[in-house]
Amino acid sequence: MNTQLLPSPGTGTPTRPAHGPAPVRETGRFAGQHRRRLLRADALAVTAWSSLAASVALWLADGGLAASSSPAGMITALGIVAGLAGMDLVLLMLLLAARIPFIDSAVGHDRALEFHRKLGKPSLYLLLAHGLLIAVGYGMAEGLDPVSEAAALWVLVPDMWLAFISLALFIAVVVTSLVAVRRRFPYEFWYAVHLLTYAAVLASLPHQFSVGGLFAVGTWQRWYWLAICIATGAALLYYRIIQPVRATFRHQLTVERVTSVAPGVVNIEMSGLQLGSLAGNGGRFFIWRFLAPGLWWHPHPFSLSAEPMRTGPDGHGRVRITVRDLGRGSAQLLRLRRGTKVAVEGPYGLFSSAARSKDRVVMIGAGIGITPLRALLENTPFAPGQATVLLRGHSNQELYLGEEILELCRQRGATLFHLTGGRDPGSPDSWLPAAEHRAGYSLEDYVPEIAHADVYVCGPSRWAGSVLKAARAAGVHEDQLHHERFDW
């Protein structure tokens, strides 16, 4: 048997978990927090849909219907509406990727990026429709075919050549973002191409204000459109550039030491200033850039593996992450030298107490995904007996930071299971070791009250998917499942 069960303090001799749900007394400690977060998420959805409706309302308020009385006018009108809606979606995409705390705390970083990706194709299709319909509509009015009309627009209309370049850049960004395409390139190449989105937006702006009367000088439509463009740009500038630079200068992080945890796994300890402001963010992730030759431009999203520790009365402290060699980028971190300066962004994500909705909590981790749970276990509130931790690895050696987690469970009264061993080859989608799977164990056997708990899952994507599926089958509501994705 590769299962270890620790009793909560004062509960007597360890016992095997009973089948069936245990009686649960909920105090609703996190209910208000949960309702407020859902309200923020709803408000964001309403705002997003309202902005799309507003983009069409701009055209209607400008008398757009009156100008679409002829076939050419109707096609041109459709092209204008498609352009407005497409540009609105692009601005929404940029806001979702701006790492704005209000969005991050409402839906989480990974879900914000998921929505961002989903808007890519619709926005491109609308912008392509905009260009095509405008060329056809204008061409019908002037007796030209669409190709000749497009050439005329490029040559004769001010700023229109920039619009064509903008469309080409949008196509390049969306195509390289398709899963099948982006996996052919290293992250750095994809990221560099993705930055062209900003160039595409900037190139598209001049023709919106210099062509046609919808955004003519002095109209309220012009001020509205200018306002949302400027607000989007300001959010990106502040949250993607200014705030990370401020955080880097505020904390002045330096690599203190790199120590081995297991073969290919190290703790990276950094010292810095004002690290107390990072406390309570266990589970959330930061983006680290180690300012050494060949490394400074590589962003590394890692969660803390321990709460910040204050080491001096002047605000000095120490913070720690745990890194596993998973490829070229992370392998270089295992050889970091003491004194290396570190740039930091964050924290990001909802993998923290901010996502709690229940008094009970279950933390399930595998491999290097165990390490964020160690920091989460350290700071998330729960009473003795209300937390269960399940650690999964092929061997005890893969239960990284297992001894520290064991001690934390003892101190805080959490129940801990070690689940070690290979998967059942006949059931590769099982999240359990082969022995437990064949014995018929389920998630409820380890946590009978799991339907009344928040469940945090961190580990390899396929394994985590199996755990989430098992949790849903055990009656855990979607809002109680917390799993942060770090893939790009």
Side-chain angles (χ1 to χ4, degrees):
M1 174 60 70
N2 295 317
T3 303
Q4 177 180 350
L5 171 62
L6 293 177
S8 300
T11 57
T13 305
T15 56
R16 190 178 183 78
H19 288 266
V24 174
R25 295 178 61 188
E26 293 286 356
T27 60
R29 180 179 182 181
F30 297 97
Q33 166 185 289
H34 182 58
R35 280 196 301 272
R36 288 190 292 274
R37 186 170 71 81
L38 293 183
L39 281 174
R40 290 199 300 274
D42 289 343
L44 284 172
V46 170
T47 302
W49 283 110
S50 298
S51 74
L52 191 60
S55 66
V56 179
L58 291 177
W59 174 76
L60 293 172
D62 192 51
L65 281 178
S68 57
S69 55
S70 66
M74 190 175 299
I75 292 174
T76 301
L78 287 173
I80 293 172
V81 171
L84 291 169
M87 192 62 192
D88 186 79
L89 292 186
V90 169
L91 295 178
L92 286 175
M93 288 175 64
L94 293 178
L95 287 172
L96 287 169
R99 297 172 185 160
I100 300 172
F102 184 84
I103 297 176
D104 198 67
S105 64
V107 300
H109 182 74
D110 56 347
R111 288 193 67 195
L113 289 186
E114 183 181 347
F115 294 140
H116 167 91
R117 285 189 288 267
K118 286 182 177 177
L119 292 178
K121 285 184 181 178
S123 61
L124 178 61
Y125 294 154
L126 285 167
L127 294 176
L128 287 171
H130 167 66
L132 179 63
L133 292 170
I134 288 292
V136 172
Y138 282 2
M140 288 175 66
E142 298 174 9
L144 296 174
D145 62 81
V147 176
S148 299
E149 180 60 34
L153 288 171
W154 175 289
V155 174
L156 301 176
V157 180
D159 301 326
M160 193 57 76
W161 65 277
L162 283 171
F164 281 96
I165 291 176
S166 168
L167 189 57
L169 293 176
F170 275 125
I171 293 172
V173 170
V174 174
V175 169
T176 55
S177 297
L178 298 176
V179 174
V181 177
R182 74 171 186 244
R183 286 181 177 170
R184 295 176 180 270
F185 301 104
Y187 170 81
E188 290 77 14
F189 174 81
W190 169 85
Y191 184 73
V193 174
H194 215 63
L195 290 178
L196 293 176
T197 303
Y198 304 117
V201 172
L202 291 174
S204 72
L205 291 177
H207 89 284
Q208 297 176 33
F209 295 99
S210 64
V211 179
L214 179 58
F215 296 137
V217 176
T219 63
W220 67 268
Q221 289 94 339
R222 182 184 181 91
W223 286 111
Y224 170 82
W225 205 247
L226 272 174
I228 62 172
C229 290
I230 291 173
T232 302
L236 286 165
L237 178 65
Y238 182 76
Y239 291 111
R240 296 299 297 269
I241 297 176
I242 295 177
Q243 196 169 69
V245 170
R246 286 180 59 191
T248 298
F249 278 98
R250 181 170 64 247
H251 296 304
Q252 298 184 31
L253 288 167
T254 303
V255 173
E256 193 72 20
R257 62 176 181 170
V258 178
T259 56
S260 176
V261 173
V265 180
V266 296
N267 282 330
I268 300 175
E269 294 183 7
M270 295 163 276
S271 60
L273 301 175
Q274 302 182 50
L275 299 185
S277 62
L278 304 181
N281 287 298
R284 304 183 74 192
F285 73 94
F286 297 77
I287 294 179
W288 313 88
R289 282 184 171 83
F290 296 92
L291 307 181
L295 287 177
W296 64 269
W297 58 289
H298 289 282
H300 296 281
F302 292 122
S303 302
L304 300 180
S305 59
E307 281 284 276
M309 178 187 297
R310 187 168 179 168
T311 59
D314 54 353
H316 273 81
R318 189 175 297 150
V319 67
R320 188 186 79 181
I321 60 175
T322 303
V323 177
R324 183 180 181 184
D325 178 3
L326 292 174
R328 182 172 57 90
S330 54
Q332 293 174 300
L333 304 185
L334 275 58
R335 299 185 293 276
L336 280 173
R337 294 184 177 181
R338 181 179 182 183
T340 301
K341 300 295 182 184
V342 186
V344 63
E345 301 175 37
Y348 301 124
L350 256 181
F351 200 81
S352 70
S353 300
R356 290 278 298 276
S357 62
K358 302 291 183 183
D359 292 342
R360 291 173 178 270
V361 61
V362 179
M363 290 165 259
I364 310 174
I368 198 64
I370 291 172
T371 60
L373 297 184
R374 191 257 180 234
L376 182 64
L377 175 66
E378 196 174 3
N379 70 60
T380 196
F382 61 84
Q386 289 191 319
T388 303
V389 182
L390 291 93
L391 305 184
R392 177 76 173 92
H394 283 87
S395 64
N396 286 331
Q397 195 176 37
E398 286 191 6
L399 303 180
Y400 307 122
L401 309 181
E403 290 300 317
E404 295 183 21
I405 292 175
L406 174 64
E407 184 57 32
L408 277 172
C409 287
R410 283 178 173 147
Q411 293 174 6
R412 300 206 58 193
T415 304
L416 173 67
F417 291 94
H418 285 177
L419 304 172
T420 56
R423 293 188 184 189
D424 185 349
S427 301
D429 290 333
S430 170
W431 64 279
L432 284 165
E436 281 76 2
H437 176 68
R438 290 169 184 158
Y441 278 74
S442 69
L443 195 49
E444 293 153 288
D445 291 315
Y446 299 96
V447 198
E449 68 280 8
I450 191 167
H452 307 280
D454 282 299
V455 180
Y456 290 82
V457 182
C458 194
S461 296
R462 185 175 177 183
W463 174 86
S466 299
V467 176
L468 293 171
K469 184 178 178 181
R472 293 186 186 101
V476 181
H477 192 272
E478 202 65 36
D479 290 341
Q480 298 165 232
L481 292 173
H482 312 294
H483 169 58
E484 198 88 29
R485 290 178 54 187
F486 296 98
D487 54 346
W488 54 278

